[in-house]
Amino acid sequence: MSGIALRHLPADDDELRAEAGRLRALVRDSVASGIGRRSLLLRLSRLPEELARPHHLQLVRSALDPLSYADRARLFRLPNGDLAVVWRGEAVEALRASVNAVLHLFADTHGRLPDPEELVFTLRLPEQADALLQAVEASLAPPECDAQVEAAQ
């Protein structure tokens, strides 16, 4: 079984919007079919600028490697920089390893990292589909609307 492809080249806005659309479609399919999936949502758009440099983001993508072998795993890069991985089954150890690796990357940030509960979300589909769809819609909002979206949450 092969892992999810982690593209290392910058994506253009149209490509990222297309990925957001594919994630939206997958979530809606899960709701319509009732087929359960899990998702890890990394709200990287909430990282302070000094922790969101390309090398940090590459390390975060690498930290997702354990999840890359989960059943039907797919990585989605969203226009605002957030990442979502969706897979079937539990993949408990892979999920734990990926989350721990992401948090370890920022362990020495001395309070500059947002609360992990605002950065890392694990969701169950279809039960928590609305939360993932809201994240997709927020990623598509123009940057000046980000503050309005967060205020509404």
Side-chain angles (χ1 to χ4, degrees):
M1 180 185 307
S2 64
I4 52 180
L6 297 176
R7 292 184 218 141
H8 303 292
L9 298 174
D12 65 27
D13 192 51
D14 290 340
E15 184 180 344
L16 294 175
R17 288 183 170 283
E19 283 196 43
R22 288 189 289 274
L23 176 56
R24 183 189 303 125
L26 186 143
V27 171
R28 288 182 177 157
D29 286 348
S30 179
V31 170
S33 68
I35 294 174
R37 295 182 186 270
R38 297 291 309 269
S39 178
L40 174 63
L41 174 64
L42 300 179
R43 301 299 298 262
L44 301 178
S45 59
R46 295 181 177 179
L47 286 174
E49 187 176 330
E50 68 270 11
L51 297 177
R53 294 202 169 97
H55 66 280
H56 291 114
L57 301 179
Q58 180 61 42
L59 290 171
V60 169
R61 285 190 290 271
S62 295
L64 297 176
D65 283 349
L67 276 176
S68 71
Y69 295 98
D71 186 28
R72 297 189 185 196
R74 292 181 62 189
L75 172 70
F76 297 90
R77 298 168 302 155
L78 300 176
N80 65 350
D82 291 349
L83 296 175
V85 180
V86 180
W87 68 95
R88 282 193 186 175
E90 291 298 317
V92 175
E93 292 303 318
L95 175 60
R96 183 177 299 127
S98 288
V99 169
N100 287 342
V102 168
L103 295 177
H104 180 74
L105 289 172
F106 301 108
D108 64 348
T109 60
H110 309 291
R112 293 179 295 165
L113 182 68
D115 184 337
E117 291 182 10
E118 294 194 22
L119 183 66
V120 178
F121 297 86
T122 56
L123 304 166
R124 289 188 179 277
L125 300 177
E127 298 87 356
Q128 295 174 301
D130 287 343
L132 192 49
L133 289 172
Q134 285 176 358
V136 170
E137 295 310 316
S139 79
L140 293 166
E144 62 272 5
C145 294
D146 287 348
Q148 295 171 352
V149 171
E150 286 189 21
Q153 291 180 346

